[in-house]
Amino acid sequence: MEFGDHLKQWRSHRHMSQMDLALEAGISSRHLSFLETGRARPSEGMIIRICEALELPFKIQNELFGAAGFAPRYLSAEREGMSGLPPLIRDTLHMILERHAPWPAVAFNADHDILVANVGFMGLAEALGIPIVPGVNILALVLEPGPVRRSIANWPDVAVLFLKRARNEARLYGPRSALARRIAQYETDPEISALLRNDQSERNPPPVITVQLHLGDAVTSWITTLTAFGSA
């Protein structure tokens, strides 16, 4: 896909006219039209301005740089795992996970693939009987049939809230992203589809989710929250 095709697709996805985007990026609508049709080639600086105006994640920005013939500007956490993150973010994540122990904490990428987990999360995973290695998908653990789904006492509520959060994040990456495709697959599941149809809660999920887990003969309550870091 050419740069202009990417640009037009994301402008449409953000529901912006050429005039809207041109004003936001500080360029003329005529030049923006030339960029979309391929009559003009963007500079790296122009791509940065347009990406900022569209509020594109670093992963998508890399795609636009590549389509314009430039090298990726941002390291990819998905391709390189934790080593692909900027050092400050990587070190901060490690510190957060370590300081959160003994309580479970996990870091995952934009597709919800686990990058690293702390000792508390590994202990919880062992108690639930699930192997946790880099690349395991957190949505798959919660939504697909298996030991985690069976262990969540309030699974219907948790499933809806997890999917709503994932939907909001998928809007950033577009309908063709791996996350959007995964969500679409789960929405075809009859049980999950019925939960979503009958859901009466607000569109935007709360910042905190209570997860009730069966551990042995007891039902334990865990407060779950998410923090997002900007990376590719």
Side-chain angles (χ1 to χ4, degrees):
M1 188 182 295
E2 300 294 327
F3 173 83
D5 298 323
H6 279 283
L7 175 54
K8 186 175 182 179
Q9 174 184 301
W10 278 100
R11 178 176 59 77
S12 176
H13 185 63
R14 292 291 191 254
H15 304 291
M16 299 176 76
S17 67
Q18 285 188 343
M19 181 62 72
D20 292 334
L21 179 55
L23 289 173
E24 191 69 27
I27 61 177
S28 70
S29 57
R30 183 170 182 267
H31 185 55
L32 180 62
S33 176
F34 282 5
L35 289 173
E36 288 191 355
T37 59
R39 295 178 64 184
R41 287 178 54 82
S43 65
E44 289 186 282
M46 179 61 67
I47 296 174
I48 292 173
R49 290 167 66 179
I50 290 173
C51 287
E52 289 178 348
L54 289 170
E55 298 182 347
L56 297 181
F58 291 158
K59 176 184 177 182
I60 305 302
Q61 292 189 37
N62 277 345
E63 293 180 3
L64 265 69
F65 277 104
F70 297 107
R73 186 176 181 85
Y74 305 100
L75 293 173
S76 172
E78 293 177 8
R79 184 178 66 250
E80 305 294 344
M82 286 291 284
S83 63
L85 291 171
L88 178 60
I89 293 181
R90 183 178 63 244
D91 294 344
T92 300
L93 282 176
H94 279 299
M95 181 187 70
I96 291 173
L97 295 181
E98 290 172 2
R99 297 288 178 85
H100 200 70
W103 309 115
V106 62
F108 50 84
N109 62 17
D111 293 333
H112 288 57
D113 298 326
I114 291 177
L115 298 175
V116 65
N118 71 354
V119 293
F121 191 90
M122 298 300 290
L124 178 61
E126 183 178 356
L128 294 174
I130 55 174
I132 295 297
V133 295
V136 172
N137 190 274
I138 199 77
L139 282 178
L141 289 176
V142 172
L143 298 176
E144 295 179 8
V148 175
R149 176 167 164 172
R150 290 194 301 269
S151 298
I152 300 176
N154 61 333
W155 181 81
D157 295 334
V158 172
V160 169
L161 291 174
F162 263 69
L163 267 177
K164 283 188 172 183
R165 278 186 173 178
R167 277 175 170 175
N168 289 344
E169 293 173 24
R171 291 190 184 98
L172 291 173
Y173 296 94
R176 298 182 181 179
S177 66
L179 179 59
R181 293 195 302 270
R182 181 180 288 274
I183 292 170
Q185 176 184 346
Y186 291 138
E187 289 174 340
T188 63
D189 178 278
E191 188 172 1
I192 293 176
S193 178
L195 290 175
L196 293 172
R197 284 197 307 271
N198 297 327
D199 176 52
Q200 300 296 320
S201 61
E202 296 182 5
R203 176 178 176 179
N204 292 320
V208 173
I209 296 175
T210 300
V211 180
Q212 298 175 345
L213 287 177
H214 291 287
L215 290 176
D217 296 328
V219 176
T220 59
S221 293
W222 303 77
I223 295 175
T224 304
T225 188
L226 296 179
T227 300
F229 291 85
S231 71

